[in-house]
Amino acid sequence: MIVALLVVFWAVIWPYLVGALVFGGAVVGGWWMWRTDRLIKGGDGGGGRTRQ
């Protein structure tokens, strides 16, 4: 049933799937850059400890 719905409505569904993938990639990329920047600056060295 689900496969049949996907086939019938694929032309309507695929832009939303692509948009969700792009949005998810942007969120993960932003989180990764934010986390990496904090690690490099020593703001969060993991486990709550900072480098000195």
Side-chain angles (χ1 to χ4, degrees):
M1 179 70 174
I2 293 174
V3 174
L5 287 173
L6 282 174
V7 169
V8 170
F9 293 107
W10 184 249
V12 177
I13 294 172
W14 77 265
Y16 293 101
L17 293 176
V18 171
L21 287 173
V22 169
F23 179 74
V27 168
V28 169
W31 175 83
W32 179 79
M33 290 192 311
W34 174 72
R35 181 76 177 144
T36 302
D37 183 54
R38 289 184 62 190
L39 287 172
I40 290 172
K41 290 182 177 178
D44 184 7
R49 297 182 297 186
T50 58
R51 293 184 195 172
Q52 295 188 14

